[in-house]
Amino acid sequence: MRYPQEHKAEVHRKIVKDASRRVRAEGLNRAAVAEVMRDTGLTHGGFYKHFESKDELLLESLSEAFRDIGDTLVRAAEQSPHREAAWKAIVKAYLSLEFCDHPEHGCPLPALAPELARVDQKMRRRILPQLVSYKDRMVPFMPGRRAADKERAFFVIFSTMSGAIEIARMLPEPAMREKVLSIARDFLLRSLDS
């Protein structure tokens, strides 16, 4: 039985969304193709009707992860009552216990950075546009007057937030995790306040 093209596109989107959540929660190597396909109601063999390789699925799932968190952070920034406080709304949303405790919904940077740093050069070059796109979406909301200042602020803020999430995720108690997030949040909000 042949399905309409829209059906194939919808199944493809479901596979990518599931893979995006799994990769953030389980890591690059633990998110098995068979499990992703099973979650979508397909067999492992059906994978190649949608993707040329596991790397293609990985790239699409990373793109989805950055788009997903980017949408969430842009929404938080745009809902901020004052344009100059938009970056603060991003910091507060990112450094939440919710994102810390549920990596499948959070930023792929703290979830995957060590693994992504170990992929081969060819794959890193293919991932780079996803990172640049994410940065480009966030930079307009960053503090600073000039574009260079905003970009510098992006790297300081996102490096700090990503590191805080990584450290907090290692801690066993919610109160300990919240303490790390709170300290990082307060530090960023106070030291970059313009």
Side-chain angles (χ1 to χ4, degrees):
M1 175 166 122
R2 284 188 98 51
Y3 290 103
Q5 193 62 26
E6 308 85 55
H7 175 76
K8 183 176 181 182
E10 181 59 31
V11 170
H12 187 93
R13 277 191 294 279
K14 285 180 182 177
I15 294 168
V16 170
K17 281 192 171 295
D18 185 62
S20 174
R21 284 189 298 271
R22 279 186 177 277
V23 162
R24 286 182 275 176
E26 300 171 10
L28 299 178
N29 298 320
R30 293 198 56 215
V33 169
E35 291 172 356
V36 170
M37 296 304 285
R38 186 184 63 238
D39 287 352
T40 315
L42 300 171
T43 64
H44 187 274
F47 173 81
Y48 293 101
K49 292 179 182 174
H50 294 276
F51 306 95
E52 290 181 25
S53 66
K54 186 174 179 182
D55 284 351
E56 292 302 318
L57 174 60
L58 173 62
L59 287 169
E60 284 193 48
S61 67
L62 283 172
S63 179
E64 171 65 23
F66 282 118
R67 186 173 37 257
D68 182 39
I69 188 64
D71 290 348
T72 299
L73 297 177
V74 165
R75 221 174 7 262
E78 288 175 343
Q79 290 173 358
S80 176
H82 304 290
R83 178 77 176 141
E84 59 275 358
W87 72 272
K88 293 178 181 182
I90 289 173
V91 168
K92 291 173 186 174
Y94 193 108
L95 290 174
S96 68
L97 203 51
E98 170 68 22
F99 281 161
C100 182
D101 289 348
H102 298 283
E104 69 275 14
H105 300 297
C107 179
L109 293 175
L112 300 171
E115 289 180 89
L116 292 174
R118 291 184 185 99
V119 298
D120 64 46
Q121 285 288 14
K122 182 181 173 190
M123 188 63 157
R124 272 196 232 168
R125 279 192 291 277
R126 294 181 73 195
I127 293 167
L128 181 61
Q130 307 302 327
L131 297 170
V132 171
S133 177
Y134 184 51
K135 175 190 67 87
D136 290 347
R137 284 187 77 190
M138 297 298 111
V139 164
F141 300 108
M142 295 294 105
R145 292 197 173 113
R146 297 175 308 141
D149 297 334
K150 289 177 173 289
E151 185 175 69
R152 195 172 13 261
F154 166 83
F155 286 115
V156 169
I157 290 168
F158 277 77
S159 296
T160 301
M161 293 191 308
S162 182
I165 291 281
E166 284 184 78
I167 291 169
R169 283 181 179 159
M170 292 187 292
L171 302 173
E173 299 296 325
M176 296 167 80
R177 293 192 296 275
E178 180 54 45
K179 182 177 180 180
V180 169
L181 299 176
S182 178
I183 289 169
R185 194 170 44 241
D186 293 346
F187 175 79
L188 287 172
L189 295 177
R190 275 196 327 273
S191 60
L192 295 174
D193 200 9
S194 51

